Amino acid sequence: MKHPLVDHKLTKLRDRTTEQPTFRRLVEELVTLLAYEATRGVRVEDVGIETPVAPTVGTRLMDPAPLVVPILRAGLGMLDGMLRLVPTAEVGFLGMIRDEETLQPATYAERLPQDLSGRQCYVLDPMLATGGSLGEAVKFLVGRGADDITCICLLAAPEGIENFKNLLAHLDVPCTLVVAAVDEKLDGQGYIVPGLGDAGDRLYGLAD
């Protein structure tokens, strides 16, 4: 997403001197901007209303409500920014962890409806690095019946985007990726360069 405010806020996020409270606030603000773009395809329907002057036809979100799915733990830092724009959305949670040696993802927790048939889902994950965790999350939701998925990330690496596309190539479900920026590359440890560091640690502190 190209916008001067997106670029400004992302620059502050990248800065290693940005303190944790400011980092959290900037993530929330940036996600709200990204969500504006990400929800262009949200399902709506016409509705008749009465204004103080005359009857008219407006627009409202269709049922079932969109489902927002932050990937724990860093995705939680994006949730308030998304709900600021879509306060009627429902929220599910998906816990994914990446093995730091193999870089392979695994699911360790989930709190989602068993049947997601007909649901539009918005997945929140700050960093699309190798693409494995986000790809597995999308496949998990499709396995529950989700039929339209949009993923919102702060940063992505080119290698991660390519791997993400390959992981989902066989799925017959629309999947859109919205990011604030595509960075240069991944380093040998699977971190995005130049990136912004570990998003979870910068949001919530170090996790031993």
Side-chain angles (χ1 to χ4, degrees), residues 3-193:
H3 192 285
L5 286 178
V6 170
D7 295 341
H8 168 74
K9 294 178 188 299
L10 184 56
T11 298
K12 292 292 292 182
L13 283 175
R14 292 184 189 276
D15 190 337
R16 65 185 303 167
T17 66
T18 298
E19 296 182 350
Q20 191 174 76
T22 302
F23 189 91
R24 289 175 181 166
R25 176 178 55 79
L26 286 167
V27 167
E28 181 178 337
E29 293 172 356
L30 183 54
V31 171
T32 300
L33 292 172
L34 294 174
Y36 180 81
E37 180 67 27
T39 53
R40 285 188 182 275
V42 70
R43 293 169 184 162
V44 295
E45 61 186 358
D46 292 340
V47 58
I49 61 170
E50 293 278 346
T51 80
V53 179
T56 189
V57 176
T59 300
R60 69 180 175 193
L61 297 181
M62 291 181 64
D63 291 328
L67 181 68
V68 178
V69 184
I71 297 180
L72 305 177
R73 72 178 164 135
L76 280 177
M78 303 172 69
L79 182 58
D80 285 347
M82 185 72 185
L83 293 180
R84 182 182 298 275
L85 195 68
V86 194
T88 58
E90 296 180 359
V91 180
F93 298 94
L94 191 57
M96 311 278 303
I97 192 167
R98 184 178 72 167
D99 188 294
E100 294 304 325
E101 293 184 2
T102 66
L103 302 184
Q104 295 302 306
T107 303
Y108 67 86
E110 62 93 0
R111 185 68 174 178
L112 292 163
Q114 290 297 315
D115 184 7
L116 293 175
S117 299
R119 298 297 293 268
Q120 279 186 301
C121 296
Y122 293 86
V123 183
L124 309 179
D125 194 14
M127 314 295 280
L128 176 56
T130 65
S133 295
L134 193 61
E136 290 302 318
V138 169
K139 291 197 287 186
F140 189 96
L141 296 174
V142 170
R144 291 280 177 95
D147 65 357
D148 188 290
I149 299 174
T150 298
C151 301
I152 303 174
C153 303
L154 304 181
L155 292 179
E159 302 95 323
I161 293 175
E162 192 62 30
N163 188 39
F164 181 69
K165 290 165 62 178
N166 291 335
L167 285 171
L168 305 183
H170 66 287
L171 297 181
D172 189 24
V173 170
C175 185
T176 302
L177 177 63
V178 177
V179 301
V182 178
D183 272 11
E184 179 184 341
K185 63 180 181 178
L186 292 179
D187 66 12
Q189 285 72 48
Y191 284 95
I192 298 174
V193 178

